[in-house]
Amino acid sequence: MSARLSEFQLVQPARIEDAIAAFVAKPGARYVAGGTDLLVNMRRGIVSADRLIDLSGVAGWGSIDADAEGMTIGAGVTIAALARDPIVISRYPAVAQAATSIAGPGHRNVATVGGNLCLDTRCIYYNQSEWWRKSNDYCLKNRGDTCHVAPQGKRCHAAFSGDLAPVFLALGASAEIAGVDGRRRVPLSDLYVEDGRAHLSLKPGELVASVHLPAVLAACAYEKVRARGAIDYPLAGVAVALMIAGGKIVMLRIALTGTNSRPFLLADVDQFIGKSVDDAMLHGVDRLVQRQVQPMRTTLAAAHYRRLAAAAVARRVVRRLAGA
Amino acid sequence: MHEPSAQYKKRLLRIKVNGRWREDAVADGCMLVDYLRDTAGLTGVKTGCDGGECGACTVLLDGLPVLACVTLAVRCEGRSVETIEGLAAQGRPSRLQQAFHEKLGAQCGYCTPGMVMASEALLRRNPTPTDDEIRAALAGNLCRCTGYVKIIESVKAVAGLAP
Amino acid sequence: MTAAFASSRPGVPLIDGIDKVLGRARYTADLDRAGALVGRILRSPIAHGEIVRIDTARARALDGVIAIVTGADCDKTYGVLPIAMNEYPMARDRVRYCGEPIAAVAAVDEETAQRALDLIDVEFRALPAYFISKDARAPDAVLLHANKPGNVEREVHHDFGDIEAGFAAADLVREHRVSCAEINHAQIEPHACLADFDPVTGRLTVQDVSQVVYYLHLMLARCLDMDESQIRVIKPFVGGGFGARVEVLNFEIVTALLARAAGGRVFMQLTREETFITHRARPQTDVVLKLGMKKDGRFTACACEVTQRGGAYAGYGVVTILYAGALLQGLYDIPAVKYDGYRVYANLPPCGAMRGHGGVNTRHAFETLVDRMARELGLDPFAVRRANLLHAPMQTMNGLMVQSYGLAECLDVVEQASGWKERIGRMPPGKGLGMSCSHYVSGSAKPIHFTGEPHAVIHLKLDHDGGVTALTGAADIGQGSSTMVAIAVAETLEVGIDRIRVISSDTAVTPKDNGAYSSRITFMVGNAAIDAAKNLKKILIAAAAKKLEAHPDEIDCAGGIFRVGRGGQAMLSFKEVVAAALVDEGAISVKGSFTCPVEFQGGKHRGGAVGSTMGFSYGAQVVETSVDEATGMVTIDKVWVALDCGHAINPLAVKGQIEGQVWMGMGQALCEETRYLDGLPAHASFLDYKMPTIVESPHIEAFIVESNDPNGPFGAKEASEGALAGFPPAMVNAIVNAIGVELDEIPATPDRVLEAIVQHQRKVKLAQKKARS
Ligand SMILES: Cc1cc2nc3c(=O)[nH]c(=O)nc-3n(C[C@H](O)[C@H](O)[C@H](O)COP(=O)(O)OP(=O)(O)OC[C@H]3O[C@@H](n4cnc5c(N)ncnc54)[C@H](O)[C@@H]3O)c2cc1C
Ligand code: SF4
Ligand code: FES
Ligand code: FES
């Protein structure tokens, strides 16, 4: 007998507009896609909803369309479908790589791209049962008024731990967002905010409809550090897109997950343009990563470790892509 | 809350379970695992964790392994669910089940239904998996008894054989 | 005694295996629960404090609540050790850890039960809480238990041989300190209990996940103040135990209390979080170990200090801290051994027995120090072990009997299989090999509840159908003990195993048994099964003799056929003999039993019974590992392990047990640990308690060594714990071999490994600087 969820009504719209309308009509509504994050959180009592809006029946929601310009991935595409799509594998192998590293096969068959991008942030003081959190007087992110990770501060440092976002960021993705006022397209990085309590810039009722990846010539790879080989979130995950011409870097993007409340593109990497990938450059990457990541005590693994590991992996992936 | 809620009415769920259609009144918040165990009486489906972390509840939904403990039952409307009880024919174990028995792929047996269903899905898709493919397919199923060695041997024992 | 290597017999699948693969095996949560109320437990939100007030009035008033019980409803303590029962099923005046049961509700459904819990008002007066041994032992610390000064539950000081002379005789003396994190059994089946109380007859029936139905039976009688004859405890299929369910657990008694209060049937299933909180597993342990060694690798002396953080109640603690010292002996020849053990109380869930009980963490400290010293002396790790072998039969200084000893063969087998000689020292960068040895008891020779009765009893029933039913109280929890009983009976009777049926663990039907702990079943219950089968065989032979008009001594019985003399003409089938036997006797019931003779029951010193056994299993293993120095990730590439289990009654099951225990050792070594945040469990899910998945689990090549123990059933000893303790040190030794970095702590999580690498590099740099200046 699993703990029953609080009662709610499930609505199953067939069009995005209806989904949004259903959301706006009922305060306390929530979107659910695969449910592998949301339903787990509901079972723990950290999220509750009077109405769940099931996005899985929305038409056109789960398609992957590729052309010369790039690729558009519907938010409803399952992680499993993404991982085995032949065009994804051939054009964006890093995407398939990241997708395969998410949770376990049973999750991936239902989990979606949209859910992965909008995954709730995580913290050892937050992803706990109701009894646990209550015994600990809750916390800023949920019902309480202090953060146990940084009690002096005013913000929540829960970590974003999705695996797809960094790869998409490195590939220069944009997101199509649908809301009451229609659709807008934003660079994917604009979807995120460095705040563990509200890490998405979505307005009420808005949802991610699709992700667009431009055609890229850069080589791209993703690597995540975690304690186990499966069903484990990244302690740190690094995606790198790198293009080299004549031995010199002409394009470089590095994106990280698991270390901050949002996935983010490493700033100031342009300094490496025109340089070659050598020890000095790798050392520079290491320093940039260490300076920009902000891991906090939100995982059982030490925060400092996540910093070091992120930097080590960044170095390694850059070197590997450069074939150096 | 033993008085049925007026606000959140149950709905009629039409679902194919192990090849047979059923209709049952189900609350929107009911998980597939509870529906299968408590309503359909299929206690071969196990629960090992508080949600989504062990794979003991793995069943096949339209042929794909999913975790019944984080799947809403009403979302399976019109779909086909297979559980461990559906694999045997006339009470006889399938080849895969027989292999788990003979090769000691099951010790305490608690992870076994989930393991077998995840393996079944793999073998339908890929009848001759390598060790690494078996590992990848069973990555979400925890076992505390076997060290997984004999589970891999069990799956390999039927690899390449007709079901 | 020389050991035969490996067994070529394949073995048989488990007799209840088919039920498991078909999904029709019923575990506690799968039982018919028609009409059952749902039980839930209210747990303490604080780690230490006095209970000032509990008010259940609001909860009782809730529609659908049938019964509520609190600490006031049970003033009897319970516990696994008669000398140390200091725990109530629900806290009465004081809570000592977060999650300790305070009250419980039986209601018509889960939601109502949960709402009722929220309506129980409890007021506490908080006390200082201690989460590490050092704090709990501080001079000004508040005592968890008034009768235990310094918050030390038990201090042990054992001194065997001349320790000073031993160290003086050594060419090299080294000491090191290691710390092993607390871990959990993490069996996949969450705890569950179904209790039925019949107010008319006053009888209680409990179906439950217990490994020892007899203890549960005893404790239910004690805590519910009932006559034992009015209680029945039944074990359905059990989804693993590993020690978690040896002790009686609070929720079991609470469920029974609820059933009695409700006058009916109550089902309780704990969440995974609650299952973790119920705990009773391996304690966080600090070991300081000092070893003396001769240039040729011979040990001269060993001094060991162990501190175990035992949690809030006694539980198994006294035994665990004694085991940690006792098991320093019985593996190698060490002329002098000194042991100081401290079992400390802390405001955390109580620890208990877990596979490899007591021995694992000291073995880890020992085998890693042996390797450090071997490196210093330029000795091969195998050679050092070989220099210190025992010679059976012998008795150790602390009174442990070693009757069979296959360690030398185990060493040979894994050395060869792993290609050690060719590969050691030639591994590619980042890869390493490590080895170690370990041992474990085949059942504690002195039971915890000592009554003077035999240590194991088996009943056999034979009736008109010709089927033999074996009744045993030994709990099959997945390890295959019922299958072992079936084989022992079938082989002794020389009939097919399909003629045997085993009924296990139903206190109304099966004889009392001390249950599934300390790997006692094969040795003790196996011997009892053989004894019973021999007794049955005597009756059958007598009946055959009468029918064939011969003397019983002339009857030859093989393959279920009875004849006069070998190859005699006149013969009877098994069924004919059964029919003949029934004519005189009616349905036949026979009994067999086994008792460990007193000389095996340990040394005369205080605590000397712990560690005593009729036979030790012996294991050696080699672990191959890769270390990613950039991230600190350790990968186990392969394991070769040999276990001397005396004789493999069922080689298939023995291999399964070897793989399972080595893998469990790997979990402890690599990534598992329970951690607390101000006393709240930070590991209480399968996402945070990182037991290995199939992805990072290596191939384990298991070899069986058979030393034929003179007292074991068919020569058998235990086969499910002895190799576990060898894994962590073999892995740490392999990591040193791979990257030259020593780890003082396990598990070797990436953050710990990276930290050790950074420290090591710092040290190396410093040394270089010094050398230059
Ligand atoms: C044991 C376990 C291990 C896991 N390991 C990993 C891992 O390693 N890596 C990883 O990345 N994830 C992991 N996950 C999390 C999760 O399975 C995945 O992130 C998954 O992709 C989430 O997708 P979903 O469709 O199931 O999301 P849902 O649970 O349906 O939704 C997640 C959140 O996103 C919102 N949402 C969903 N779709 C949209 C949309 N289109 N627009 C706006 N909001 C939306 C929902 O309202 C909800 O708040 C793990 C989960 C579990 C239980
Ligand atoms: S970071 Fe602080 S506020 Fe955010 S979830 Fe963790 S404890 Fe709560
Ligand atoms: S019960 Fe553990 S994943 Fe479903
Ligand atoms: S066989 Fe016991 S958990 Fe897998």
Side-chain angles (χ1 to χ4, degrees), chain B residues 104-112 115 142-148 151, chain C residues 20 27 186-189 238-242 477-478:
Chain B
L104 201 62
Q107 282 189 25
C108 81
Y110 201 81
C111 71
T112 308
M115 283 289 179
L142 296 175
C143 172
R144 193 57 167 165
C145 299
T146 60
Y148 306 109
I151 288 176
Chain C
K20 296 171 186 170
Y27 300 77
Q187 75 288 347
I188 306 292
E189 179 195 26
V238 169
F242 314 111
I477 55 171

Side-chain angles (χ1 to χ4, degrees), chain B residues 1-3 37-38 41 43-50 53-54 56 84-85 88 91-94 96-98 100-104 106-113 115-116 134-136 138-153, chain C residues 13-14 17-18 20-23 25-27 29-30 33 63-64 108-109 111-112 184-190 238-240 242 269 271-273 354 477-478 652-653 655-657 659-660 663-664 672 685-687 689 691-695 697-700:
Chain B
M1 194 143 326
H2 57 295
E3 191 185 341
R37 286 176 53 85
D38 301 344
T43 54
V45 186
K46 299 288 180 258
T47 61
C49 69
D50 298 342
E53 300 174 344
C54 74
I84 186 80
E85 288 93 342
R92 297 196 167 278
S94 69
L96 179 62
Q97 287 171 308
Q98 188 67 30
F100 266 77
H101 174 51
E102 285 173 5
K103 300 279 171 194
L104 201 62
Q107 282 189 25
C108 81
Y110 201 81
C111 71
T112 308
M115 283 289 179
V116 170
I134 295 171
R135 284 196 161 88
L138 301 182
N141 294 79
L142 296 175
C143 172
R144 193 57 167 165
C145 299
T146 60
Y148 306 109
V149 178
K150 299 216 177 310
I151 288 176
I152 294 175
E153 285 172 11
Chain C
L14 303 184
I18 209 74
K20 296 171 186 170
V21 299
L22 286 173
R26 298 230 167 205
Y27 300 77
D30 306 334
R33 305 203 294 267
D63 202 12
V108 291
D109 59 25
E111 290 82 355
T112 312
N184 187 271
H185 319 86
Q187 75 288 347
I188 306 292
E189 179 195 26
V238 169
F242 314 111
Q269 181 169 31
T271 61
R272 175 52 54 186
E273 180 187 47
M354 180 172 167
I477 55 171
L652 179 66
K655 288 217 173 167
Q657 287 300 315
E659 291 155 5
W663 177 86
M664 199 170 262
E672 292 176 24
S685 71
F686 281 150
L687 193 54
Y689 190 79
M691 82 167 76
T693 73
I694 196 170
V695 176
S697 297
H699 184 63
I700 299 167

Side-chain angles (χ1 to χ4, degrees), chain A residues 30-40 55 61 75-76 79 101-104 107 110-120 122 161-164 200 202 206-209 224 226 228 231-234, chain B residues 51-54 67 70 75, chain C residues 687:
Chain A
R30 281 267 182 176
Y31 292 124
V32 60
T36 60
D37 180 45
L38 186 76
L39 293 175
V40 171
L55 298 175
W61 179 247
I79 305 293
S101 78
I102 293 170
H107 305 85
V110 296
T112 64
V113 170
N116 193 266
L117 292 177
C118 298
L119 185 69
D120 197 357
R122 303 185 59 80
S161 309
D163 282 305
L164 288 180
L200 298 174
L202 297 175
E206 277 192 333
L207 51 78
V208 175
K224 88 194 242 195
R226 53 174 166 181
R228 298 194 285 210
I231 34 172
D232 219 0
Y233 287 95
Chain B
E53 300 174 344
C54 74
L67 304 172
V70 286
R75 286 180 73 175
Chain C
L687 193 54

